[in-house]
């Protein structure tokens, strides 16, 4: 018996003796469930007022030293009773288990229809007893608002406030919503609020403040599917749209396989040597690899990707003269999002629409690193086990499968496979028609807009009434999905559309066999297929699912092995279908390979972003200390000391002979930077014996004394305001430049591999060098400006105007970023929006005097149109 076989046999024996690890976790929670149930009669005897007072009693116990774990059973019993009274829904025992798993900071895998929204109320209520806000994260504004509205009566009965963040909400409204005990919001808005808070110039303008505990609904969608989508706040950058048009003209004349290769797996198009010469000839450029022409290869290859990789109505759609990215998982248009690195402009050139300007990054973070900022993180989804390893390695999250309240009886049929795609579609339509004729509702899951419309057209020709739910009809999404379980309903939807909305069977449908799921092809991820299947068979309902495949499907064409393809082609006879469990398992193996490949990509992104994450925390930490006024003067005095020591080391290095010292250079430096006059004789006296330490200490004392003198002249309060203004201004500008430098570094770092070097190692080393230079640059600018900036203390009105105008300009609130129409990227999520300036709580009108004190109207000044 081989070692592998022995290990497998031993595992099966241990499983029979002790059950699976998941079974043991659930078993450990059952006694707590029994104790919560035992508290139920007492809770039912309480009046509404007495039930509401439970929160105050539990909070008092927490402040007295009890832990949340010790409060859990009483809190869950109170929450369950409040739900029964306020919502008419009593938590099932399995939902109590789910709530405990969330409280432990784990992922609860719960089958669709098991009431995840209600489960979240248990852990949210318990953790809100700490007096710190709990964030419940959903995937879109509709679900955030819906879940908040549904659960508000429950929380309010318990004396808690519930808030909701929406994408177009004003800043002061956000502050109010985040101040609630429990706040619902989308992953993108929470992430952008974190970035925006770190661009604010007054502490009271920040809205999110802290990240204590987050419960992420559809956690796999947020932390896996969108893990490659960084959140970026951007501002306008210089741009030349004509270069994309020229590159598009060149790309259209190049020939595939002769001038370039298409690599679908890598989403790349690579020019051959012959292709480079052909492109140079078409572009009228002598060489792509000389100074001014160096960007041509990238422009042409990006244009080729736009034509040969990114397909209209699959990867994107054209709507009112704009390119809108289509989410590959949900089929929804990603409003305002743009691809980075010139790809979006290349597609705009391809489609002949207006080419929008590129943008410059002002602030950025990945979802991976944003959610790791929370002290405690938990999640819920119907499909997490296939990604359990990733959740553990990236987020340290354990996945626990929660038992269903009723047994799952959905029947999942083997895949039906065809050689030709046309035969597959014919067979699918026949199955849909057959189900419709007996009254069973059918949900058809597609992977693109194009395919949903193709099936819709075929059903129209057969006279089958149906609903289409794709990126072009997303506003009716929840209503359409909610009706998908009615008698005879046929609904065509992209695989993830309507996620979060329950499909309830209409009268008589369960007797007919329940909801039938038809998958038009397999997705790269098994989890997406399982999510589609999971729409059927909720709460023990009957249901079924079947996937239809062809060798022309993307997954089969790109990833299916030659053995599978050969077998299918041999078995195929006159377009007949092929069904076999072995084929289904082979396809799942292909999916596993793709999942592993995608995981490596996400892990690679995280490794690169780890550098920026550490740097971001340092910069934002410094910035927050400045906003809070925590020791800014001490920090600045320390910087003065460093500058004095660096200056002496530069001009009077101890390693050099004193005859080689640049004494005049030091004198000039001190005079221009600090207005400090020191004579050559003084320097000679302080450096007797070629020792510079006495000189350094003398200069440090003199500079500090001059700064104290400057403060006395201006006034301590005004000096603190000036320090805050100059430090924030320097930090924001230098950080923006640093982000741009690191973006450029990362774009070209892969070339290091050709020299036999590890690009990640080089990237980390150079990025840290850039960061050190940035910090030095901040210190240099701040210490210089604090001495050189001329302000007359008596002119208080002018000083106030200067501070106000600059705060608006550098706070990301006058054209650089803020709230409103978000430009939140896809491959690179971005936000590039203007936000209404507010001063002292009052909105500034377009025709009001500008708050900066210029005397001009706001619309013609800081709010320039």
């Amino acid at each position: 018996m081989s070692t592998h076989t022995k290990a497998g046999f031993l595992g099966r024996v241990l499983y029979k003796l002790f059950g699976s690890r998941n079974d043991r976790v659930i078993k450990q929670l059952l006694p707590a469930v029994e104790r919560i149930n035992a508290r139920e009669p007492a809770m039912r005897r309480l009046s509404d007022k007495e039930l509401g007072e439970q929160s105050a009693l539990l909070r008092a116990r927490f402040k007295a030293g009890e832990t949340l774990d010790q409060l859990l059973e009483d809190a869950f019993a109170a929450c369950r009773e409040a739900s029964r009274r306020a919502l008419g829904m009593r938590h099932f025992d399995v939902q109590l288990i789910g709530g405990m798993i969330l409280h432990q900071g784990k992922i609860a895998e719960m089958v669709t229809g098991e009431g995840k929204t209600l489960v979240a109320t248990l852990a949210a209520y318990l953790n809100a007893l700490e007096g710190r806000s709990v964030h419940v994260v959903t995937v879109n504004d509709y679900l955030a608002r819906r879940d908040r509205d549904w659960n508000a009566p429950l929380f309010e009965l318990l004396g808690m406030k519930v808030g909701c963040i929406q994408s177009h909400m004003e800043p002061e409204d956000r502050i109010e919503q985040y101040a609630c005990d429990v706040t619902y919001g989308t992953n993108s808005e929470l992430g952008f609020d974190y970035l925006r808070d770190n661009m604010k110039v007054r502490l009271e303008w920040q809205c999110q403040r802290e990240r204590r505990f987050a419960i992420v609904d559809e956690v796999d969608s947020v932390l896996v599917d969108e893990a490659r989508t960084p959140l970026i706040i951007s501002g306008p950058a210089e741009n030349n749209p004509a270069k994309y048009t020229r590159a598009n003209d060149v790309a259209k004349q190049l020939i595939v396989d002769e001038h370039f290769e298409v690599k679908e797996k890598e989403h790349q198009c690579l020019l051959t040597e012959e292709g480079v010469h052909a492109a140079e000839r078409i572009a009228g450029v002598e060489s792509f690899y000389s100074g001014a022409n160096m960007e041509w290869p990238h422009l042409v290859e990006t244009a080729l990707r736009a034509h040969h990789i990114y397909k209209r109505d699959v990867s994107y759609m054209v709507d009112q003269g704009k390119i809108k990215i289509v989410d590959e998982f949900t089929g929804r248009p990603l409003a305002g999002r743009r691809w980075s690195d010139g790809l979006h402009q290349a597609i705009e050139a391809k489609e002949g629409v207006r080419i929008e300007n590129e943008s410059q990054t002002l602030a950025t973070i990945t979802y991976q690193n944003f959610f790791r900022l929370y002290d405690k993180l938990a999640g819920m989804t119907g499909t997490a086990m296939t990604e359990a390893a990733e959740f553990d390695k990236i987020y340290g999250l354990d996945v626990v499968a929660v038992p269903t309240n009723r047994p799952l009886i959905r029947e999942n049929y083997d895949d039906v496979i065809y050689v030709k795609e046309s035969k597959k579609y014919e067979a699918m339509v026949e199955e849909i028609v057959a189900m419709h004729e007996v009254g069973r509702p059918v949900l058809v899951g597609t992977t693109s807009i194009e395919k949903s419309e193709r099936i819709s057209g075929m059903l129209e020709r057969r006279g089958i009434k149906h609903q289409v739910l794709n990126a072009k009809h997303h506003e009716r999404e929840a209503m359409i999905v909610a009706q998908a379980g009615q008698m005879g309903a046929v609904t065509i939807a992209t695989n993830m559309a309507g996620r979060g909305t329950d499909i309830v069977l209409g009268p008589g449908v369960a007797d007919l066999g329940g909801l039938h799921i038809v998958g038009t092809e397999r997705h790269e991820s098994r989890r997406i297929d399982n999510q589609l299947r999971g729409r059927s068979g909720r709460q023990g309902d009957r249901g079924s699912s079947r996937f239809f495949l062809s060798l022309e499907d993307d997954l089969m064409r790109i990833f299916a092995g030659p053995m599978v393809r050969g077998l299918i082609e041999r078995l195929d006879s006159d377009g007949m279908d092929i069904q076999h469990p072995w084929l289904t398992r082979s396809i799942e193996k292909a999916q596993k390979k793709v999942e592993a490949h995608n995981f490596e990509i996400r892990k690679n992104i995280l490794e690169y972003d780890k550098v920026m994450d550490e740097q971001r925390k340092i910069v934002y930490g410094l910035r927050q200390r400045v906003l809070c006024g925590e020791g800014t003067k001490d920090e600045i005095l320390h910087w003065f000391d460093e500058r004095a020591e660096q200056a002496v080391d530069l001009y009077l290095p101890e390693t050099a002979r004193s005859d080689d010292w640049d004494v005049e250079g030091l004198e000039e430096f001190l005079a221009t930077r600090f207005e400090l006059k020191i004579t050559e004789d003084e320097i000679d006296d302080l450096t007797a014996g070629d020792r510079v330490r006495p000189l350094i200490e003398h200069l440090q004392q003199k500079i500090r004394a001059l700064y104290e003198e400057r403060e006395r002249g201006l006034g301590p309060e005004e000096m603190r305001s000036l320090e805050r203004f100059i430090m924030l201004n320097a930090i924001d500008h230098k950080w923006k430049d640093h982000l741009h430098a690191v973006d450029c570094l990362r774009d070209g770092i892969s070339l290091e591999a050709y020299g036999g070097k590890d690009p990640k190692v080089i990237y980390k080393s150079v990025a840290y060098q850039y960061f050190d230079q940035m910090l030095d640059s901040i210190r240099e600018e701040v210490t210089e400006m604090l001495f050189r900036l001329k302000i007359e203390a008596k002119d208080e009105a002018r000083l106030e105007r200067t501070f106000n105008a600059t705060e608006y300009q550098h706070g990301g609130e006058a054209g650089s970023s803020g709230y409103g129409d978000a430009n939140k990227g896809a491959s690179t999520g971005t936000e590039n929006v203007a936000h209404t300036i507010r001063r002292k709580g009052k909105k500034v009108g377009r025709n009001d005097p500008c708050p900066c004190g210029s005397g001009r109207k706001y619309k013609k000044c800081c709010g320039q149109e």
Side-chain angles (χ1 to χ4, degrees), residues 639-678:
W639 290 357
F640 283 143
D641 291 347
E642 287 183 334
R643 293 278 283 148
E645 187 166 358
Q646 289 168 355
V648 173
D649 287 344
L650 176 64
Y651 293 104
L652 281 65
E654 281 191 312
T655 54
R657 293 168 44 206
S658 58
D659 292 345
D660 297 327
W661 285 354
D662 185 4
V663 176
E664 290 183 0
L666 178 61
E667 291 176 1
E668 184 180 353
F669 174 84
L670 295 172
T672 56
R673 294 298 192 278
F674 305 118
E675 299 182 349
L676 171 59
K677 298 187 184 303
I678 186 167

Side-chain angles (χ1 to χ4, degrees), residues 455-464 466:
I455 296 171
S456 175
M458 295 175 74
L459 290 176
E460 282 180 2
R461 289 190 288 275
R462 296 289 294 270
I464 302 297
H466 59 280

Side-chain angles (χ1 to χ4, degrees), residues 522 526 583-593:
R522 288 280 199 151
R526 291 168 296 159
L583 286 172
T584 301
R585 287 195 297 271
S586 297
I587 293 163
E588 287 180 352
K589 285 181 182 177
Q591 289 176 304
K592 287 180 182 178
K593 290 180 182 177

Side-chain angles (χ1 to χ4, degrees), residues 697-764:
E697 293 174 354
H698 174 76
L699 293 178
Q700 289 172 340
Q701 292 171 4
K702 293 283 285 184
I703 293 170
R704 282 176 174 247
L706 286 170
Y707 193 66
E708 295 290 351
E709 182 182 334
R710 182 168 172 78
E711 181 176 318
R712 286 192 294 274
L714 190 58
E717 187 175 339
E718 288 78 5
M719 199 65 188
R720 298 294 85 77
S721 295
L722 183 62
E723 287 169 352
R724 180 170 60 86
F725 155 61
I726 289 177
M727 291 180 80
L728 290 177
N729 185 60
I731 291 168
D732 290 347
H733 275 77
K734 300 302 182 183
W735 179 241
K736 177 191 71 175
D737 293 342
H738 177 67
L739 290 175
H740 178 66
V742 172
D743 279 346
C744 294
L745 170 66
R746 188 165 175 176
D747 285 344
I749 201 68
S750 60
L751 297 175
E752 295 289 346
Y754 291 108
K757 299 176 182 178
D758 185 342
K760 280 184 285 209
V761 173
I762 302 297
Y763 171 78
K764 290 176 183 178

